[in-house]
Amino acid sequence: MAETLLLTLREFCEQAGTPQFEYTLERAYSERFPDDSVNVAERASWHNSLPALAKFLEYIKAPCEGHILIEYLMPIGNRRADCILVGEDESGPHIIIVELKQWSAGSVDFDEKHGVGWLRVRNGDKGYTSEHPCQQIGEYRRVLSGVLDFGGRSPRISTMVFLHNYIEDPAKEILRDASYQEFLSDTLLVTRKTGHKHAKELLSTLLAPSNTTVSHLQHPVLLYSDSFITSFRNGLKASRLFKASSGQTKVFKGMRETIKRVRGVPTCVIVEGIVGTGKTVLAMKLVDFLMEQGNNPAYFVRSKAIGSCVNHLGFCKTAIGRTSHAVVDEAHRLLPGQLPGYFQNKELVVFFIDDHQWLLPNETCRVNTLMHEAKRQGHQLVHLSLTEQLRCQGASAYMSWVDDVFFKRNATRLVHSQRFGVTVVDAPSEMENALRRHAEEQKVTTRIVAGYCWDWVTRNTLNGGADITIGSWSARWNSFGKYREWNEAPGFYEEVGAIYTVQGFEYGYVGVLLGPDLKLQNGQLVVNPEGCVDSSLMKHQNQNGVNTTSAIDQAIRNIYYILMTRAKYGVYLYAVDPDVQRWLKSLVNS
């Protein structure tokens, strides 16, 4: 089921204001999302907004002959519509998506810091950034109309935003500002005293139930429309982050021909490749190809950073809609118990994986794990290896050196390449100056990245403040949730990128800060877990009474291996620990 709770509109109007209704909804939510819990804001919304919607339906004397799906999870992505009303009139089935807000009069203003389009909503002493609700609900309509199979009888889809507490300012209403006109033209905005007549006209179309439409919503099957595919393809072509090189295009052609030959029997394809072989770019090209073939693929990746960039293409990083084809990116980050679900009812499932790029001890999926599961599921297995290193200018000596430093622990002096520069700097300020110079003179992207060894104190601060201080130099981690902006921005970016932001992406030049989680012992690099502040990682240290020190040691090595292989033309290194810094200089600097 895609929804949390399904009721007839009549049942909803009778029950919404009762204590039993909230209990029923919370219990249904726990069953639908067992790994999630109802937060305070969600519970308040159910308590205030749902009864207000029920009263409004009665007030405007809506027919109430259809159904309502509450907390509906979109077929792709992880966003939920507050309510979907479904009914039918003489012209056919009609879906009305409803977004509920508890905003009060005077609580909303423009958010200048996040740029055009964003709103700042005051909530007591605190506040939060929000997109315009008409923009938000318009995305829900785009998804339902563009990816869902309605069995050949496509319903009309309308959208309505209901702000039951909000009184508009007749002099200058922010929510109806001209900058939001494109969203307002497609969505009905109903506030406490405005839009009631139009809402009655809209809701009066729900004259009878439409059980078939409800069933398609409850059990979604993916079917991408031509316009949806075109929009995705145009976004992919325009994206700098997913632009395929000539080498990647050549590799993909071979992969495509292999996949064409395996039709007719359930197949698992494992695409194995080390950092820099272009796995994510190839995954996006494969999604595009499968769409072109009419196979309606689902795409999965756990990375929020990659997911954010994929969302910007008009696509999503996960799906609940049924499909026979799936592409799983960064399979090394899958959690125990997730794997069987990717094989369910699949003709083809393709996994992109690198056994050295998992980040947390509970991310236990490896190539051998996939092979075993494919056999258990009765899928024929195709194993492809990406051998050409497309990052670091193909500097195999540098890649081997990084591998030796972190995994084989027998590093010797680096053999330098004229095509790829490696420098150990004396201070982070020297690193920053060099990166700024490259950005200005060569017009390339340059970034500073670091091990997760400094607390993220600016997480909820939009501007100013510092997280990382080394001597007289200081900087902040990349802003919370701004993964796409951080990765897409041209030139040098002042904020420092953490592993969860940079994995899967490349830049022209990169500066790497090696934190106090690395020490030197008997001439070898060792991990010092006490120098790491990543709570997601360190919570595994003694989980369930099992000491996972070796797994944490390996995870931190994996993290630095990834950080040090993000650059295309060159890297700058600086180690906080003096012994590690001197050791690096002895291996790298001439």
Side-chain angles (χ1 to χ4, degrees):
M1 299 294 184
E3 81 287 352
T4 297
L5 189 63
L6 170 69
L7 297 170
T8 67
L9 280 170
R10 197 169 302 281
E11 290 171 337
F12 171 69
C13 290
E14 292 171 352
Q15 300 175 21
T18 67
Q20 181 65 26
F21 174 75
E22 287 185 45
Y23 171 76
T24 301
L25 184 53
E26 186 160 350
R27 184 178 61 184
Y29 185 92
S30 299
E31 292 173 356
R32 178 65 185 85
F33 305 104
D35 297 327
D36 199 3
S37 58
V38 181
N39 58 44
V40 174
E42 204 141 38
R43 190 175 283 109
S45 175
W46 294 348
H47 179 77
N48 297 317
S49 296
L50 288 172
L53 176 62
K55 289 179 180 178
F56 182 72
L57 292 172
E58 292 178 336
Y59 166 70
I60 64 173
K61 298 180 180 180
C64 292
E65 294 302 327
H67 288 84
I68 181 170
L69 293 85
I70 302 173
E71 294 292 346
Y72 181 83
L73 185 61
M74 290 291 115
I76 61 172
N78 56 7
R79 301 184 74 173
R80 298 195 305 272
D82 291 333
C83 303
I84 293 184
L85 312 185
V86 185
E88 198 158 332
D89 61 13
E90 61 277 0
S91 62
H94 189 187
I95 290 173
I96 303 174
I97 310 171
V98 180
E99 176 67 18
L100 303 171
K101 296 291 185 188
Q102 302 179 74
W103 298 353
S104 58
S107 65
V108 180
D109 206 342
F110 296 114
D111 191 324
E112 303 293 344
K113 293 180 179 178
H114 277 79
V116 177
W118 289 95
L119 299 170
R120 186 73 182 170
V121 183
R122 288 183 290 280
N123 184 15
D125 296 332
K126 298 181 180 180
Y128 59 91
T129 300
S130 172
E131 60 190 334
H132 195 288
C134 291
Q135 178 182 5
Q136 176 183 344
I137 202 171
E139 177 61 19
Y140 299 159
R141 178 179 54 230
R142 187 187 73 87
V143 170
L144 288 188
S145 63
V147 311
L148 196 55
D149 185 358
F150 285 102
R153 194 168 181 236
S154 298
R156 180 160 60 106
I157 301 179
S158 302
T159 47
M160 183 179 90
V161 172
F162 183 45
L163 286 72
H164 54 94
N165 285 330
Y166 194 91
I167 299 176
E168 297 184 39
D169 182 352
K172 186 182 179 182
E173 177 47 52
I174 289 173
L175 294 181
R176 296 189 189 275
D177 187 81
S179 61
Y180 302 123
Q181 190 54 46
E182 64 174 302
F183 310 126
L184 292 163
S185 63
D186 294 330
T187 294
L188 176 61
L189 176 61
V190 181
T191 56
R192 188 170 179 177
K193 297 181 178 180
T194 308
H196 296 187
K197 179 182 177 181
H198 294 301
K200 183 173 183 177
E201 293 173 356
L202 177 66
L203 294 164
S204 65
T205 61
L206 306 179
L207 296 173
S210 183
N211 295 325
T212 302
T213 303
V214 169
S215 179
H216 285 303
L217 287 166
Q218 286 186 293
H219 310 284
V221 175
L222 298 185
L223 179 63
Y224 299 116
S225 67
D226 291 342
S227 61
F228 186 92
I229 295 172
T230 299
S231 176
F232 167 75
R233 183 165 296 153
N234 290 341
L236 192 60
K237 289 178 180 178
S239 173
R240 181 189 63 80
L241 296 175
F242 299 113
K243 186 176 180 62
S245 67
S246 58
Q248 288 165 334
T249 300
K250 180 180 178 181
V251 168
F252 176 72
K253 288 180 179 178
M255 182 190 305
R256 181 184 62 192
E257 294 308 309
T258 299
I259 289 173
K260 281 182 177 179
R261 291 194 296 268
V262 298
R263 291 180 176 176
V265 59
T267 301
C268 169
V269 179
I270 300 173
V271 183
E272 185 179 4
I274 63 171
V275 292
T277 48
K279 293 183 294 297
T280 295
V281 171
L282 293 174
M284 283 291 97
K285 286 187 71 64
L286 180 57
V287 166
D288 184 38
F289 169 70
L290 292 174
M291 281 184 173
E292 181 184 323
Q293 298 296 303
N295 292 315
N296 304 298
Y299 171 78
F300 300 92
V301 66
R302 288 193 65 224
S303 166
K304 290 182 179 179
I306 294 176
S308 174
C309 297
V310 170
N311 287 345
H312 193 60
L313 300 178
F315 201 50
C316 290
K317 68 169 187 172
T318 188
I320 66 164
R322 286 175 292 167
T323 177
S324 59
H325 290 67
V327 177
V328 185
D329 200 2
E330 296 204 324
H332 40 268
R333 298 206 57 200
L334 294 181
L335 302 179
Q338 290 183 327
L339 196 53
Y342 295 112
F343 286 88
Q344 190 173 5
N345 300 319
K346 295 295 184 294
E347 293 178 21
L348 175 71
V349 57
V350 183
F351 296 93
F352 291 83
I353 188 168
D354 176 3
D355 281 356
H356 281 312
Q357 288 202 58
W358 56 272
L359 304 180
L360 301 172
N362 65 335
E363 296 170 354
T364 56
C365 184
R366 306 291 181 266
V367 171
N368 285 338
T369 315
L370 295 176
M371 295 173 71
H372 174 77
E373 187 65 25
K375 182 178 180 181
R376 195 177 75 86
Q377 295 283 347
H379 279 54
Q380 75 168 349
L381 181 65
V382 177
H383 191 174
L384 303 177
S385 294
L386 305 177
T387 56
E388 185 178 359
Q389 223 295 326
L390 301 171
R391 195 176 294 148
C392 302
Q393 289 288 286
S396 58
Y398 172 72
M399 297 294 294
S400 297
W401 180 80
V402 173
D403 187 77
D404 288 346
V405 166
F406 289 101
F407 302 128
K408 297 176 183 175
R409 309 176 196 185
N410 61 345
T412 57
R413 285 183 63 85
L414 172 66
V415 178
H416 285 271
S417 165
Q418 292 183 346
R419 300 178 63 198
F420 187 82
V422 185
T423 305
V424 180
V425 297
D426 292 322
S429 57
E430 181 183 340
M431 172 189 292
E432 180 177 333
N433 291 337
L435 293 174
R436 286 183 182 275
R437 187 170 60 252
H438 285 302
E440 292 171 4
E441 295 176 357
Q442 297 173 243
K443 308 302 180 186
V444 294
T445 54
T446 62
R447 299 288 189 271
I448 295 178
V449 302
Y452 209 154
C453 303
W454 293 269
D455 288 320
W456 192 4
V457 296
T458 67
R459 178 186 175 101
N460 297 312
T461 305
L462 290 178
N463 290 302
D467 301 300
I468 304 169
T469 299
I470 302 172
S472 60
W473 181 87
S474 62
R476 53 181 284 155
W477 288 114
N478 55 274
S479 299
F480 178 61
K482 293 291 183 179
Y483 304 111
R484 180 179 62 81
E485 292 83 348
W486 195 92
N487 279 297
E488 280 193 340
F492 177 75
Y493 206 90
E494 291 186 348
E495 295 176 342
V496 175
I499 183 62
Y500 301 109
T501 300
V502 308
Q503 187 178 30
F505 299 98
E506 73 171 15
Y507 319 94
Y509 290 86
V510 170
V512 184
L513 300 176
L514 289 79
D517 54 355
L518 295 177
K519 298 286 186 181
L520 198 67
Q521 189 177 89
N522 299 324
Q524 289 189 338
L525 200 63
V526 298
V527 169
N528 171 37
E530 293 180 359
C532 178
V533 300
D534 183 352
S535 58
S536 298
L537 176 57
M538 300 314 295
K539 73 179 181 181
H540 294 279
Q541 192 161 17
N542 288 291
Q543 199 172 54
N544 300 323
V546 178
N547 191 306
T548 56
T549 300
S550 60
I552 290 175
D553 179 286
Q554 186 66 32
I556 291 175
R557 292 177 185 276
N558 289 353
I559 288 168
Y560 279 106
Y561 173 68
I562 295 166
L563 293 177
M564 292 181 67
T565 52
R566 298 299 92 195
K568 191 173 181 180
Y569 305 116
V571 296
Y572 292 86
L573 309 176
Y574 178 83
V576 171
D577 183 88
D579 292 334
V580 175
Q581 174 75 352
R582 285 191 290 269
W583 178 72
L584 282 175
K585 280 192 170 185
S586 71
L587 295 178
V588 174
N589 290 2
S590 301

PDB file of all heavy atoms in Angstrom, residues 564-583:
ATOM      1  N   MET A 564      40.697  11.210  -1.332  1.00  0.00           N
ATOM      2  CA  MET A 564      41.942  11.490  -2.047  1.00  0.00           C
ATOM      3  C   MET A 564      41.881  11.129  -3.531  1.00  0.00           C
ATOM      4  O   MET A 564      42.848  11.337  -4.260  1.00  0.00           O
ATOM      5  CB  MET A 564      43.106  10.774  -1.373  1.00  0.00           C
ATOM      6  CG  MET A 564      43.423  11.355   0.000  1.00  0.00           C
ATOM      7  SD  MET A 564      44.819  10.581   0.846  1.00  0.00           S
ATOM      8  CE  MET A 564      46.185  11.051  -0.198  1.00  0.00           C
ATOM      9  N   THR A 565      40.726  10.621  -3.965  1.00  0.00           N
ATOM     10  CA  THR A 565      40.592  10.249  -5.386  1.00  0.00           C
ATOM     11  C   THR A 565      39.418  10.973  -6.046  1.00  0.00           C
ATOM     12  O   THR A 565      38.748  10.423  -6.925  1.00  0.00           O
ATOM     13  CB  THR A 565      40.412   8.727  -5.528  1.00  0.00           C
ATOM     14  OG1 THR A 565      39.338   8.284  -4.685  1.00  0.00           O
ATOM     15  CG2 THR A 565      41.677   7.997  -5.133  1.00  0.00           C
ATOM     16  N   ARG A 566      39.189  12.217  -5.625  1.00  0.00           N
ATOM     17  CA  ARG A 566      38.101  13.019  -6.200  1.00  0.00           C
ATOM     18  C   ARG A 566      38.577  13.925  -7.333  1.00  0.00           C
ATOM     19  O   ARG A 566      37.758  14.523  -8.043  1.00  0.00           O
ATOM     20  CB  ARG A 566      37.461  13.918  -5.141  1.00  0.00           C
ATOM     21  CG  ARG A 566      36.805  13.232  -3.965  1.00  0.00           C
ATOM     22  CD  ARG A 566      35.672  12.335  -4.364  1.00  0.00           C
ATOM     23  NE  ARG A 566      36.135  10.959  -4.588  1.00  0.00           N
ATOM     24  CZ  ARG A 566      35.454  10.023  -5.207  1.00  0.00           C
ATOM     25  NH1 ARG A 566      34.278  10.312  -5.732  1.00  0.00           N
ATOM     26  NH2 ARG A 566      35.937   8.804  -5.357  1.00  0.00           N
ATOM     27  N   ALA A 567      39.877  14.109  -7.484  1.00  0.00           N
ATOM     28  CA  ALA A 567      40.393  15.147  -8.383  1.00  0.00           C
ATOM     29  C   ALA A 567      40.711  14.609  -9.770  1.00  0.00           C
ATOM     30  O   ALA A 567      41.097  13.453  -9.940  1.00  0.00           O
ATOM     31  CB  ALA A 567      41.648  15.767  -7.788  1.00  0.00           C
ATOM     32  N   LYS A 568      40.597  15.503 -10.739  1.00  0.00           N
ATOM     33  CA  LYS A 568      40.902  15.164 -12.122  1.00  0.00           C
ATOM     34  C   LYS A 568      42.325  15.566 -12.507  1.00  0.00           C
ATOM     35  O   LYS A 568      42.987  14.884 -13.285  1.00  0.00           O
ATOM     36  CB  LYS A 568      39.898  15.854 -13.043  1.00  0.00           C
ATOM     37  CG  LYS A 568      39.940  15.393 -14.488  1.00  0.00           C
ATOM     38  CD  LYS A 568      38.797  16.016 -15.280  1.00  0.00           C
ATOM     39  CE  LYS A 568      38.808  15.529 -16.732  1.00  0.00           C
ATOM     40  NZ  LYS A 568      37.690  16.126 -17.517  1.00  0.00           N
ATOM     41  N   TYR A 569      42.797  16.701 -11.953  1.00  0.00           N
ATOM     42  CA  TYR A 569      44.097  17.224 -12.384  1.00  0.00           C
ATOM     43  C   TYR A 569      45.152  17.259 -11.278  1.00  0.00           C
ATOM     44  O   TYR A 569      46.339  17.293 -11.581  1.00  0.00           O
ATOM     45  CB  TYR A 569      43.932  18.651 -12.932  1.00  0.00           C
ATOM     46  CG  TYR A 569      42.919  18.757 -14.027  1.00  0.00           C
ATOM     47  CD1 TYR A 569      41.754  19.504 -13.866  1.00  0.00           C
ATOM     48  CD2 TYR A 569      43.113  18.097 -15.245  1.00  0.00           C
ATOM     49  CE1 TYR A 569      40.817  19.601 -14.881  1.00  0.00           C
ATOM     50  CE2 TYR A 569      42.181  18.183 -16.262  1.00  0.00           C
ATOM     51  CZ  TYR A 569      41.024  18.936 -16.073  1.00  0.00           C
ATOM     52  OH  TYR A 569      40.097  19.027 -17.086  1.00  0.00           O
ATOM     53  N   GLY A 570      44.733  17.275 -10.009  1.00  0.00           N
ATOM     54  CA  GLY A 570      45.742  17.324  -8.964  1.00  0.00           C
ATOM     55  C   GLY A 570      45.155  17.467  -7.574  1.00  0.00           C
ATOM     56  O   GLY A 570      44.007  17.903  -7.411  1.00  0.00           O
ATOM     57  N   VAL A 571      45.955  17.081  -6.565  1.00  0.00           N
ATOM     58  CA  VAL A 571      45.511  17.178  -5.173  1.00  0.00           C
ATOM     59  C   VAL A 571      46.552  17.903  -4.336  1.00  0.00           C
ATOM     60  O   VAL A 571      47.757  17.889  -4.642  1.00  0.00           O
ATOM     61  CB  VAL A 571      45.254  15.785  -4.544  1.00  0.00           C
ATOM     62  CG1 VAL A 571      44.125  15.069  -5.251  1.00  0.00           C
ATOM     63  CG2 VAL A 571      46.510  14.940  -4.540  1.00  0.00           C
ATOM     64  N   TYR A 572      46.039  18.530  -3.269  1.00  0.00           N
ATOM     65  CA  TYR A 572      46.885  19.152  -2.248  1.00  0.00           C
ATOM     66  C   TYR A 572      46.533  18.495  -0.922  1.00  0.00           C
ATOM     67  O   TYR A 572      45.345  18.327  -0.595  1.00  0.00           O
ATOM     68  CB  TYR A 572      46.624  20.658  -2.191  1.00  0.00           C
ATOM     69  CG  TYR A 572      47.086  21.387  -3.430  1.00  0.00           C
ATOM     70  CD1 TYR A 572      46.249  21.486  -4.548  1.00  0.00           C
ATOM     71  CD2 TYR A 572      48.357  21.957  -3.504  1.00  0.00           C
ATOM     72  CE1 TYR A 572      46.663  22.125  -5.703  1.00  0.00           C
ATOM     73  CE2 TYR A 572      48.791  22.603  -4.660  1.00  0.00           C
ATOM     74  CZ  TYR A 572      47.936  22.691  -5.742  1.00  0.00           C
ATOM     75  OH  TYR A 572      48.358  23.331  -6.886  1.00  0.00           O
ATOM     76  N   LEU A 573      47.562  18.113  -0.169  1.00  0.00           N
ATOM     77  CA  LEU A 573      47.347  17.372   1.064  1.00  0.00           C
ATOM     78  C   LEU A 573      47.885  18.152   2.265  1.00  0.00           C
ATOM     79  O   LEU A 573      48.925  18.805   2.178  1.00  0.00           O
ATOM     80  CB  LEU A 573      48.035  16.001   0.995  1.00  0.00           C
ATOM     81  CG  LEU A 573      47.751  15.134  -0.243  1.00  0.00           C
ATOM     82  CD1 LEU A 573      48.593  13.864  -0.198  1.00  0.00           C
ATOM     83  CD2 LEU A 573      46.272  14.791  -0.325  1.00  0.00           C
ATOM     84  N   TYR A 574      47.165  18.046   3.386  1.00  0.00           N
ATOM     85  CA  TYR A 574      47.662  18.604   4.647  1.00  0.00           C
ATOM     86  C   TYR A 574      47.171  17.717   5.781  1.00  0.00           C
ATOM     87  O   TYR A 574      45.969  17.428   5.883  1.00  0.00           O
ATOM     88  CB  TYR A 574      47.172  20.032   4.881  1.00  0.00           C
ATOM     89  CG  TYR A 574      47.644  20.592   6.205  1.00  0.00           C
ATOM     90  CD1 TYR A 574      48.920  21.156   6.327  1.00  0.00           C
ATOM     91  CD2 TYR A 574      46.842  20.504   7.341  1.00  0.00           C
ATOM     92  CE1 TYR A 574      49.371  21.629   7.551  1.00  0.00           C
ATOM     93  CE2 TYR A 574      47.280  20.978   8.565  1.00  0.00           C
ATOM     94  CZ  TYR A 574      48.543  21.542   8.663  1.00  0.00           C
ATOM     95  OH  TYR A 574      48.998  22.003   9.879  1.00  0.00           O
ATOM     96  N   ALA A 575      48.087  17.267   6.626  1.00  0.00           N
ATOM     97  CA  ALA A 575      47.741  16.417   7.767  1.00  0.00           C
ATOM     98  C   ALA A 575      47.859  17.219   9.058  1.00  0.00           C
ATOM     99  O   ALA A 575      48.847  17.924   9.281  1.00  0.00           O
ATOM    100  CB  ALA A 575      48.648  15.195   7.819  1.00  0.00           C
ATOM    101  N   VAL A 576      46.854  17.111   9.901  1.00  0.00           N
ATOM    102  CA  VAL A 576      46.842  17.822  11.182  1.00  0.00           C
ATOM    103  C   VAL A 576      47.913  17.276  12.115  1.00  0.00           C
ATOM    104  O   VAL A 576      48.591  18.030  12.822  1.00  0.00           O
ATOM    105  CB  VAL A 576      45.446  17.711  11.825  1.00  0.00           C
ATOM    106  CG1 VAL A 576      45.460  18.240  13.259  1.00  0.00           C
ATOM    107  CG2 VAL A 576      44.413  18.449  10.991  1.00  0.00           C
ATOM    108  N   ASP A 577      48.086  15.965  12.121  1.00  0.00           N
ATOM    109  CA  ASP A 577      49.092  15.352  12.984  1.00  0.00           C
ATOM    110  C   ASP A 577      50.490  15.649  12.433  1.00  0.00           C
ATOM    111  O   ASP A 577      50.774  15.335  11.261  1.00  0.00           O
ATOM    112  CB  ASP A 577      48.864  13.843  13.046  1.00  0.00           C
ATOM    113  CG  ASP A 577      49.839  13.152  13.976  1.00  0.00           C
ATOM    114  OD1 ASP A 577      49.539  13.061  15.174  1.00  0.00           O
ATOM    115  OD2 ASP A 577      50.910  12.726  13.493  1.00  0.00           O
ATOM    116  N   PRO A 578      51.390  16.227  13.243  1.00  0.00           N
ATOM    117  CA  PRO A 578      52.724  16.604  12.737  1.00  0.00           C
ATOM    118  C   PRO A 578      53.520  15.426  12.178  1.00  0.00           C
ATOM    119  O   PRO A 578      54.228  15.578  11.173  1.00  0.00           O
ATOM    120  CB  PRO A 578      53.407  17.204  13.978  1.00  0.00           C
ATOM    121  CG  PRO A 578      52.282  17.640  14.858  1.00  0.00           C
ATOM    122  CD  PRO A 578      51.189  16.648  14.642  1.00  0.00           C
ATOM    123  N   ASP A 579      53.420  14.265  12.830  1.00  0.00           N
ATOM    124  CA  ASP A 579      54.169  13.101  12.357  1.00  0.00           C
ATOM    125  C   ASP A 579      53.652  12.635  10.990  1.00  0.00           C
ATOM    126  O   ASP A 579      54.438  12.295  10.093  1.00  0.00           O
ATOM    127  CB  ASP A 579      54.058  11.948  13.362  1.00  0.00           C
ATOM    128  CG  ASP A 579      54.785  12.250  14.656  1.00  0.00           C
ATOM    129  OD1 ASP A 579      55.745  13.049  14.630  1.00  0.00           O
ATOM    130  OD2 ASP A 579      54.381  11.689  15.700  1.00  0.00           O
ATOM    131  N   VAL A 580      52.335  12.618  10.820  1.00  0.00           N
ATOM    132  CA  VAL A 580      51.752  12.224   9.542  1.00  0.00           C
ATOM    133  C   VAL A 580      52.130  13.235   8.468  1.00  0.00           C
ATOM    134  O   VAL A 580      52.452  12.870   7.326  1.00  0.00           O
ATOM    135  CB  VAL A 580      50.214  12.099   9.646  1.00  0.00           C
ATOM    136  CG1 VAL A 580      49.604  11.799   8.281  1.00  0.00           C
ATOM    137  CG2 VAL A 580      49.830  11.017  10.640  1.00  0.00           C
ATOM    138  N   GLN A 581      52.142  14.516   8.838  1.00  0.00           N
ATOM    139  CA  GLN A 581      52.501  15.563   7.887  1.00  0.00           C
ATOM    140  C   GLN A 581      53.939  15.394   7.396  1.00  0.00           C
ATOM    141  O   GLN A 581      54.204  15.457   6.187  1.00  0.00           O
ATOM    142  CB  GLN A 581      52.317  16.942   8.553  1.00  0.00           C
ATOM    143  CG  GLN A 581      52.776  18.129   7.736  1.00  0.00           C
ATOM    144  CD  GLN A 581      51.846  18.495   6.588  1.00  0.00           C
ATOM    145  OE1 GLN A 581      50.903  17.776   6.289  1.00  0.00           O
ATOM    146  NE2 GLN A 581      52.122  19.603   5.933  1.00  0.00           N
ATOM    147  N   ARG A 582      54.874  15.159   8.316  1.00  0.00           N
ATOM    148  CA  ARG A 582      56.280  14.956   7.908  1.00  0.00           C
ATOM    149  C   ARG A 582      56.427  13.698   7.062  1.00  0.00           C
ATOM    150  O   ARG A 582      57.190  13.676   6.078  1.00  0.00           O
ATOM    151  CB  ARG A 582      57.162  14.864   9.157  1.00  0.00           C
ATOM    152  CG  ARG A 582      57.417  16.210   9.833  1.00  0.00           C
ATOM    153  CD  ARG A 582      58.499  16.087  10.894  1.00  0.00           C
ATOM    154  NE  ARG A 582      58.016  15.311  12.033  1.00  0.00           N
ATOM    155  CZ  ARG A 582      57.418  15.843  13.102  1.00  0.00           C
ATOM    156  NH1 ARG A 582      57.240  17.158  13.170  1.00  0.00           N
ATOM    157  NH2 ARG A 582      56.995  15.094  14.101  1.00  0.00           N
ATOM    158  N   TRP A 583      55.703  12.649   7.435  1.00  0.00           N
ATOM    159  CA  TRP A 583      55.761  11.386   6.693  1.00  0.00           C
ATOM    160  C   TRP A 583      55.245  11.563   5.268  1.00  0.00           C
ATOM    161  O   TRP A 583      55.865  11.086   4.314  1.00  0.00           O
ATOM    162  CB  TRP A 583      54.931  10.354   7.455  1.00  0.00           C
ATOM    163  CG  TRP A 583      54.840   8.998   6.830  1.00  0.00           C
ATOM    164  CD1 TRP A 583      55.826   8.059   6.747  1.00  0.00           C
ATOM    165  CD2 TRP A 583      53.674   8.422   6.230  1.00  0.00           C
ATOM    166  NE1 TRP A 583      55.346   6.919   6.130  1.00  0.00           N
ATOM    167  CE2 TRP A 583      54.023   7.124   5.808  1.00  0.00           C
ATOM    168  CE3 TRP A 583      52.375   8.867   6.026  1.00  0.00           C
ATOM    169  CZ2 TRP A 583      53.107   6.278   5.182  1.00  0.00           C
ATOM    170  CZ3 TRP A 583      51.469   8.031   5.406  1.00  0.00           C
ATOM    171  CH2 TRP A 583      51.839   6.754   4.985  1.00  0.00           C
TER     172      TRP A 583
END
